Amino acid sequence: MTLSPPPLHNDCFALPAGVDWTPVDEALALLKSRIHPVTAEESVSLNAALGRVLARDVTALRANPPLPNTAVDGYGFAGGKTKGDHVLPLVAGRAAAGPAYEGEVPDGHAIRILTGASLPRGVDTVVLQEDVSADETHIAFHGPIKAGANTRKAGEDVLQGAVILKAGRVVTPTDLALAAATGHGVLPVRLRLRVGVLSTGDELIEPGGVAQPGQIYDANRPMLLAVLHEMGFDAIDLGRVPDDPAALRVALDRAAAETDVVLTSGGASAGDEDHVSALLRSEGTLQHWRIALKPGRPLALALWKQTPVFGLPGNPVAALVCTLVFAAPALAVLAGSAWTAPEAVLLPAAFSKNKKPGRREFLRARLREGRVEVFSSEGSGRISGLSWAEGLVELSDGAQIIAPGDLVRFIPFQSFTPR
């Protein structure tokens, strides 16, 4: 049985009275405070858990290691040995990984033991086989050897009942190893967040089609679907619709039925031809967030039949920046993961810039020979700059004068992926 969290409140995107232009950090903090997970929980096998978001804390069903064991091949006995020469008689048999040695090693005796074997009763110390001379009945070696040498204690890695993986974590390959080692065959995860991508506009045609004068190819949809897929979400292609309120209504109704979140691009501003905004305003819960951001227009946020809608700019550069900066951390929370800010690194600039105060700016950038280059043009219509770039340079809200060699914040595109 799956259990779904409640939907978002109708006023979750409402701005406080009197808000005009909102700084990026304030907008992010407000968005973070207004949303919660919307995905249900299920249990899946370890083989199906990679990349999924854990729904609950996972505790160790078994200690790791479950029993004291040896870390090396050698000979085991009780207690440490002082400096000098030591000769110990051997008991019959040996201890190896797998079924435990059934007997007990008497005090003053030793047993042949192999890596990973549980320590037999009467053994708490192991001497390396390379440090031993042996025949069929005795071993000889030089001390000193500390008690407990070359052994692992039960639970020294993980104790039974300890939390090994926290709720909200995106499961990694190494998490699967930890879960398996501590007794798990299935994990409690959230259903993948279904994120629909809808393009709007009479001017758009499908990539590869024959463009007529005044028409452009839909570049946003393939880009956004790929970005969402790389982030681990279930990216759903909702197609494109013309600037027609009736067609938009049908598309949004379908999106609300088939997805958990919708990203639209185009028509989300406040102009005469912005039909997405008009429809969301009249029949949804539209809010325009005027964010002090470049590139980017006001971010349109709404609920359509209790499904959150992120109205992105139609410009591909602004659409990508708004997706990475605002949608990515919000989608992570809606998916059941934690809100995470992208990790930036301070690196020397290979460019000059005089930045005016007032807006947070993100420049298309890449790293070459330890220095950060930015795209030759800041024009938001230069789609080639997106392909050229490997990340973004983030410039603070205030005025800045940047000279070559100055440290700047570089954020690789991969750093925006929820983790």
Side-chain angles (χ1 to χ4, degrees), residues 143-162:
I145 297 177
K146 292 182 179 180
N150 300 311
T151 65
R152 308 182 184 102
K153 296 179 180 179
E156 73 172 24
D157 179 25
V158 179
L159 294 173
Q160 183 177 2

Side-chain angles (χ1 to χ4, degrees), residues 214-232:
Q215 291 183 319
I216 59 174
Y217 294 112
D218 184 358
N220 283 354
R221 208 164 86 248
M223 174 182 68
L224 296 176
L225 287 167
V227 167
L228 294 169
H229 177 75
E230 284 192 340
M231 289 181 175

Side-chain angles (χ1 to χ4, degrees), residues 221-296:
R221 208 164 86 248
M223 174 182 68
L224 296 176
L225 287 167
V227 167
L228 294 169
H229 177 75
E230 284 192 340
M231 289 181 175
F233 304 120
D234 187 0
I236 298 175
D237 187 352
L238 297 175
R240 58 184 176 86
V241 294
D243 291 322
D244 174 77
L248 282 170
R249 184 181 292 103
V250 170
L252 289 173
D253 286 346
R254 174 194 164 203
E258 297 180 357
T259 69
D260 302 303
V261 191
V262 181
L263 302 186
T264 69
S265 64
S269 189
D272 292 342
E273 296 300 321
D274 291 318
H275 297 286
V276 173
S277 289
L279 186 61
L280 291 174
R281 186 181 299 108
S282 63
E283 300 185 31
T285 61
L286 179 70
Q287 294 287 329
H288 272 122
W289 288 25
R290 292 162 54 85
I291 301 168
L293 172 71
K294 179 183 178 181

Side-chain angles (χ1 to χ4, degrees), residues 118-202:
S118 299
L119 299 183
R121 295 191 303 276
V123 172
D124 61 13
T125 304
V126 176
V127 60
L128 283 165
Q129 68 177 26
E130 295 90 336
D131 297 334
V132 173
S133 296
D135 59 22
E136 293 183 358
T137 60
H138 290 78
I139 62 169
F141 58 91
H142 300 292
I145 297 177
K146 292 182 179 180
N150 300 311
T151 65
R152 308 182 184 102
K153 296 179 180 179
E156 73 172 24
D157 179 25
V158 179
L159 294 173
Q160 183 177 2
V163 175
I164 57 170
L165 300 169
K166 299 287 288 183
R169 180 178 177 87
V170 179
V171 178
T172 68
T174 48
D175 291 341
L176 298 177
L178 179 58
T182 53
H184 291 275
V186 298
L187 290 175
V189 299
R190 291 189 176 273
L191 298 178
R192 287 191 186 276
L193 188 74
R194 301 169 301 169
V195 186
V197 178
L198 177 67
S199 292
T200 67
D202 290 335

